Amino acid sequence: METRIAVIAIIVEDRGRSEEINQLLHEYGEYIVGRMGVPYREKNLSIISVILDAPQEKISALSGKLGMVPGISSKTLYSKPLEKQS
């Protein structure tokens, strides 16, 4: 199955939603290449970046589910489709 590389940026304004976010990320864990979380205590929020290598529909599904979690904002950036090597 063809995969894409993507980065999901998540800003967590309601840190009480952390467990819900972590559960979603765990659900898609097989596609996660890396993850970095930075607490920004002065602003009382956290920023998470998640790198994925997954089929387009899996990335879209995770992005959509994250977008429905109250108290967070998220955006997804996709790489251009990779050319097949011969």
Side-chain angles (χ1 to χ4, degrees):
M1 180 171 284
E2 192 170 319
T3 63
R4 302 257 326 252
I5 305 299
V7 177
I8 301 178
I10 306 165
I11 297 177
V12 183
E13 296 169 342
D14 179 356
R15 295 176 76 184
R17 297 292 182 163
S18 296
E19 188 173 326
E20 191 173 351
I21 295 164
N22 285 329
Q23 181 59 39
L24 284 170
L25 295 178
H26 177 75
E27 184 179 330
Y28 289 85
E30 67 186 281
Y31 304 109
I32 294 175
V33 175
R35 170 184 171 175
M36 179 177 67
V38 179
Y40 192 179
R41 290 179 186 87
E42 293 82 12
K43 300 290 183 179
N44 197 33
L45 52 85
S46 295
I47 299 102
I48 304 168
S49 60
V50 181
I51 302 164
L52 301 158
D53 183 356
Q56 174 75 44
E57 61 271 8
K58 296 293 184 180
I59 298 168
S60 295
L62 175 57
S63 182
K65 289 176 182 180
L66 287 167
M68 292 188 296
V69 176
I72 75 159
S73 301
S74 66
K75 292 290 179 185
T76 305
L77 176 68
Y78 293 90
S79 68
K80 295 178 182 175
L82 300 175
E83 293 182 19
K84 292 183 181 178
Q85 308 229 348
S86 44

